[in-house]
Amino acid sequence: MWDSESESVGGRGYGNGVLGSSKHGFKTDGFELRGQSWYVAADIPSDFLVQIGDVHFHLHKYPLLSRSGKINRLIYESRDPDLNKIALDDLPGGPEAFELAAKFCYGIAVDLTAGNISGLRCAAEYLEMTEDLEEGNLIFKTEAFLSYVVLSSWRDSILVLKSCEKLSPWAENLQIVRRCSESIAWKACANPKGIKWAYTGNPPKVSSKKWNDMKDSSPSRNQLVPPDWWFEDVSILRIDHFVRVITAIKVKGMRFELIGASIMHYAAKWLPGLIEDGAGSVDEGSNSSNSSSSSWKGGLHMIVAGTKDDHPSVQAKDQRMIIESLISIIPPQKDSVSCSFLLHLLRIANMLKVAPALVTELEKRVGMQFEQATLADLLIPSYNKSETLFDVDLIQRLLEHFLVQEQTESSSPSRQAFSDQRGINPSAKMRVARLVDSYLTEVSRDRNLSLTKFQVLAEALPESARTCDDGLYRAIDSYLKAHPTLSEHERKRLCRVMDCQKLSIDACMHAAQNERLPLRVVVQVLFSEQVKISNAIANSSLKEAGGTQYQLMIPNRKTLLEGTPQSFQEGWTAAKKDINTLKFELETVKTKYLELQNDMENLQRQFDKMINKKTSAWTSGWKKLSKFTKTTTIENHDIGSHSKVPAATIEQTSKTPRRWRNSIS
């Protein structure tokens, strides 16, 4: 018996979320659930069975055919007019959404809420409940409820977006996710002074509120709304929907500090232990396994911790997806998130084998604000089967990124002027130097740490970064203590990274009696300390007009030495003895050298005398011969010019040289 009914009383009322029947209704008292089957309470027996998973719906053909184009097509394509059973296992929203759609087809009033509207909208699209079949069909009414009720409400937009997690890809294709994300973004970027809707804020840790208990939690006129009022509500979303919301918020022009703070808040809830302060709020999440209950408790913890039946690989895959998504949406500005958060994120990324490109990007981000790190943040275990306990290579890369960033800022004129005004570069390098020295002291206890890695990390920073090498000396001493088998050459090589002139008095006193240091290093330490004391005395004497100040310095130093422990004084005495011994040996070597030099000079003089004696006779003969030759030439010249000279005289003079040559020969 089919009757025509007018539209029900609540048919067009969207404010209370009630949908009435259509023009062609079916008289029924409602649906009854018996086990896993639904039955229509009517006088006419059911003639059509719809199976969705394990749930069966015993219905009638006519109400479904009048509203659903999908069922019309299935019956037509089967070419069996007596078809009385179909299966709709892929219907979005499952049996709950089909139950509401079936009630709508029968004209039963349906209560639309933020928890069921997304599933019912997708189910209406799947069943093709369009206006072509009948005016005011389910697609039209659910779309109107979404546009006029849900998107105008902060609370409903969050809940609808949360309920879309199980409706992919239908919710994406129907633009439900996009519209809800933009609605949330617009409201999050609104002026806090104008916010009048209910929001969660930061609930207390003892008990968590439900959405239904928040009707009175809207801010009053005199109540100040904090800028992070939207963090807690947005953090219940799944990671892909959270990324959509944050992306939309970025487009709207939200401050990058607030975006970074919301990302840190989200990570604290979804990744337990990532941030120590946020670890306790993990159990305050929403129940993602039952979105209709709208409870805050435990839901965000589920995808991370999982249940006892979850496989570890699935859990790691979900965490890896969260890490990769968070890295991709961190604002590029410096200080948008804390360095501690980035290092904790980097620790988990290395553990879960995140994509290398994202890890490199994260390392560069850490290098931008490396001076803000702490020692506890840097102690990252080595997950790549390395011999060392801590990942020293990772810290080396972070330090390189920091130095590259510092060099880039110093080379840029605008950034250089800005950094000079704030004084960032020198202080940042000094903080990093102290941090690296503390890290070296901690990791030096690892016996598998090679000397090369220690030396490379210690020498990575420029000399100007350290005004005092006490921290570096402490790390060297710790390394020598943990590696007692080092050779003398290796110990000298290790101590080269330290500048003895930059050690304080306490460090020098400790180094003077440190048996692990090479003797040469101890001598350098004592010499540099002596130079410091001499310079200090000289400077003080120049500043003071009289000599009284100089007289006061010596008693002060004596008092200092007397107040030191006995072991330090004994070490100082032993070091003095070593110095005196070295000085005596040096003077002995100098004396021997002078004696050898004198002997060499004597031998040289004797050698020269012997050579002179052998060559003196020859040299004197050649000198006489040259003189005689000159005389003969002159006489011959005179004879030629004076022809009246007697012949006997010429003959006598010509014979004289011949006799001299014979005597010589």
Side-chain angles (χ1 to χ4, degrees):
M1 177 172 61
W2 305 99
D3 294 332
S4 175
E5 290 184 352
S6 61
E7 192 168 310
S8 64
V9 177
R12 292 288 179 179
Y14 298 113
N16 54 8
V18 177
L19 291 184
S21 62
S22 62
K23 296 179 181 179
H24 300 286
F26 184 77
K27 289 184 178 181
T28 177
D29 295 332
F31 282 24
E32 297 178 357
L33 179 62
R34 303 172 188 173
Q36 294 291 327
S37 301
W38 284 94
Y39 294 89
V40 180
D43 297 335
I44 303 176
S46 60
D47 58 354
F48 195 69
L49 176 64
V50 179
Q51 182 179 355
I52 302 175
D54 297 334
V55 182
H56 298 79
F57 292 86
H58 299 271
L59 307 174
H60 302 84
K61 279 187 180 180
Y62 181 74
L64 299 179
L65 293 176
S66 63
R67 290 288 189 176
S68 173
K70 174 81 171 179
I71 296 178
N72 271 290
R73 192 174 67 257
L74 290 176
I75 294 177
Y76 175 77
E77 291 177 354
S78 66
R79 300 185 183 279
D80 183 7
D82 298 329
L83 181 66
N84 57 5
K85 180 181 179 181
I86 59 173
L88 302 176
D89 294 331
D90 56 345
L91 184 140
E96 295 82 5
F98 184 78
E99 175 195 351
L100 298 177
K103 287 181 178 180
F104 177 79
C105 292
Y106 277 90
I108 301 174
V110 177
D111 187 12
L112 296 182
T113 64
N116 62 23
I117 186 61
S118 59
L120 188 58
R121 173 65 182 90
C122 295
E125 189 71 23
Y126 176 87
L127 295 173
E128 301 175 10
M129 302 176 72
T130 62
E131 296 294 296
D132 296 337
L133 295 176
E134 191 168 349
E135 185 180 356
N137 211 343
L138 189 58
I139 290 179
F140 171 78
K141 294 193 173 183
T142 53
E143 196 57 46
F145 185 82
L146 277 172
S147 301
Y148 295 105
V149 178
V150 172
L151 298 181
S152 61
S153 169
W154 168 263
R155 164 187 175 273
D156 292 343
S157 299
I158 294 284
L159 283 180
V160 170
L161 190 55
K162 181 68 179 175
S163 65
C164 290
E165 295 176 358
K166 299 179 180 180
L167 298 174
S168 298
W170 288 90
E172 287 283 351
N173 296 335
L174 295 176
Q175 304 296 320
I176 300 177
V177 174
R178 180 188 62 80
R179 288 183 288 173
C180 289
S181 300
E182 291 184 353
S183 173
I184 295 170
W186 275 113
K187 293 177 175 61
C189 296
N191 189 354
K193 295 182 180 179
I195 293 176
K196 297 181 180 180
W197 52 79
Y199 62 90
T200 304
N202 292 321
K205 295 183 179 180
V206 178
S207 61
S208 57
K209 298 181 180 180
K210 296 183 178 180
W211 282 107
N212 297 332
D213 301 332
M214 296 178 191
K215 294 180 180 179
D216 298 333
S217 64
S218 58
S220 61
R221 293 181 179 179
N222 298 327
Q223 182 181 358
L224 296 177
V225 179
D228 59 347
W229 62 269
W230 52 277
F231 287 5
E232 188 69 23
D233 294 344
V234 174
S235 65
I236 73 169
L237 301 174
R238 199 174 62 185
I239 183 61
D240 53 340
H241 294 160
F242 178 77
V243 171
R244 294 287 294 271
V245 171
I246 294 299
T247 304
I249 288 176
K250 284 183 180 179
V251 175
K252 301 297 185 296
M254 174 72 73
R255 289 183 299 166
F256 67 89
E257 301 94 353
L258 283 177
I259 296 177
S262 66
I263 294 173
M264 294 172 61
H265 184 86
Y266 183 88
K269 301 192 69 168
W270 284 81
L271 300 173
L274 180 65
I275 302 177
E276 294 179 1
D277 296 337
S281 62
V282 173
D283 293 333
E284 298 167 8
S286 66
N287 191 354
S288 59
S289 61
N290 186 10
S291 59
S292 61
S293 64
S294 304
S295 175
W296 284 100
K297 187 177 180 180
L300 299 174
H301 182 73
M302 186 195 71
I303 196 171
V304 178
T307 61
K308 294 182 179 180
D309 299 333
D310 289 340
H311 196 272
S313 61
V314 177
Q315 175 183 342
K317 182 179 179 181
D318 294 336
Q319 290 183 344
R320 188 184 305 113
M321 182 178 65
I322 295 173
I323 293 292
E324 293 177 350
S325 301
L326 292 180
I327 294 174
S328 62
I329 62 174
I330 294 177
Q333 292 85 354
K334 184 179 179 180
D335 297 331
S336 58
V337 294
S338 66
C339 185
S340 178
F341 171 76
L342 293 174
L343 285 168
H344 282 75
L345 208 63
L346 185 59
R347 180 197 299 261
I348 300 180
N350 289 332
M351 182 177 62
L352 297 178
K353 307 296 182 185
V354 173
L358 292 175
V359 173
T360 303
E361 181 65 24
L362 190 57
E363 291 177 358
K364 292 181 180 179
R365 291 300 307 273
V366 175
M368 291 174 58
Q369 47 199 101
F370 192 57
E371 70 277 5
Q372 303 172 5
T374 61
L375 178 60
D377 298 334
L378 295 184
L379 296 177
I380 301 176
S382 181
Y383 299 106
N384 55 358
K385 297 181 181 180
S386 176
E387 296 180 355
T388 57
L389 180 61
F390 298 103
D391 198 345
V392 182
D393 296 333
L394 173 61
I395 305 303
Q396 176 69 28
R397 293 196 299 270
L398 297 179
L399 190 56
E400 290 176 356
H401 290 310
F402 169 76
L403 294 175
V404 170
Q405 181 68 22
E406 288 290 320
Q407 186 177 5
T408 304
E409 290 183 356
S410 61
S411 61
S412 177
S414 58
R415 292 184 178 181
Q416 185 177 7
F418 179 73
S419 62
D420 290 341
Q421 292 176 2
R422 295 179 58 186
I424 292 179
N425 289 342
S427 59
K429 288 183 180 180
M430 292 178 184
R431 286 196 297 268
V432 171
R434 291 193 294 268
L435 183 63
V436 170
D437 293 344
S438 301
Y439 179 80
L440 287 172
T441 304
E442 189 68 27
V443 301
S444 62
R445 301 183 179 94
D446 186 3
R447 295 188 176 182
N448 293 326
L449 180 64
S450 64
L451 177 60
T452 302
K453 286 188 177 182
F454 184 95
Q455 186 177 6
V456 169
L457 187 58
E459 294 178 343
L461 287 169
E463 295 182 359
S464 59
R466 292 185 178 93
T467 57
C468 180
D469 279 9
D470 286 5
L472 197 55
Y473 167 71
R474 190 181 301 109
I476 292 173
D477 184 53
S478 178
Y479 189 88
L480 291 173
K481 189 183 299 183
H483 301 78
T485 59
L486 289 178
S487 63
E488 185 71 14
H489 174 70
E490 289 175 336
R491 288 191 296 158
K492 290 181 180 179
R493 174 185 165 192
L494 176 64
C495 293
R496 287 196 193 101
V497 303
M498 174 183 62
D499 188 358
C500 297
Q501 298 180 0
K502 292 184 179 181
L503 295 179
S504 63
I505 296 178
D506 295 335
C508 289
M509 296 292 289
H510 186 277
Q513 53 98 33
N514 192 348
E515 298 178 354
R516 290 180 290 271
L517 294 177
L519 181 60
R520 182 180 181 86
V521 177
V522 175
V523 172
Q524 290 178 354
V525 170
L526 294 175
F527 179 75
S528 63
E529 180 63 18
Q530 188 67 27
V531 171
K532 288 180 185 177
I533 295 174
S534 301
N535 292 335
I537 293 174
N539 292 332
S540 62
S541 61
L542 290 175
K543 290 180 181 178
E544 298 294 334
T548 56
Q549 186 68 20
Y550 176 75
Q551 297 294 332
L552 293 174
M553 290 295 294
I554 297 177
N556 289 339
R557 189 172 184 276
K558 288 182 178 180
T559 305
L560 177 62
L561 292 177
E562 290 175 358
T564 56
Q566 186 66 25
S567 59
F568 282 13
Q569 295 183 15
E570 293 176 356
W572 180 266
T573 304
K576 281 185 175 181
K577 290 180 180 180
D578 294 336
I579 292 174
N580 293 330
T581 303
L582 291 175
K583 287 182 178 179
F584 178 75
E585 292 178 355
L586 182 60
E587 293 296 333
T588 304
V589 171
K590 287 183 178 179
T591 304
K592 291 181 179 180
Y593 175 75
L594 292 175
E595 292 177 356
L596 291 174
Q597 190 174 7
N598 292 331
D599 294 339
M600 183 65 185
E601 291 178 356
N602 293 332
L603 291 173
Q604 184 69 30
R605 285 195 294 270
Q606 293 177 4
F607 180 74
D608 294 339
K609 288 180 181 180
M610 292 175 63
I611 293 177
N612 291 332
K613 288 180 181 180
K614 291 181 180 181
T615 59
S616 60
W618 291 95
T619 53
S620 60
W622 284 110
K623 289 180 180 178
K624 292 179 180 180
L625 180 60
S626 60
K627 289 181 180 180
F628 182 78
T629 306
K630 290 180 180 179
T631 304
T632 307
T633 306
I634 294 171
E635 291 177 353
N636 292 334
H637 179 71
D638 293 338
I639 292 171
S641 60
H642 304 282
S643 58
K644 295 182 179 181
V645 179
T649 306
I650 297 173
E651 183 179 356
Q652 185 178 358
T653 55
S654 61
K655 289 180 179 179
T656 304
R658 186 180 297 115
R659 288 197 302 268
W660 180 80
R661 289 194 186 97
N662 291 334
S663 65
I664 292 300
S665 62

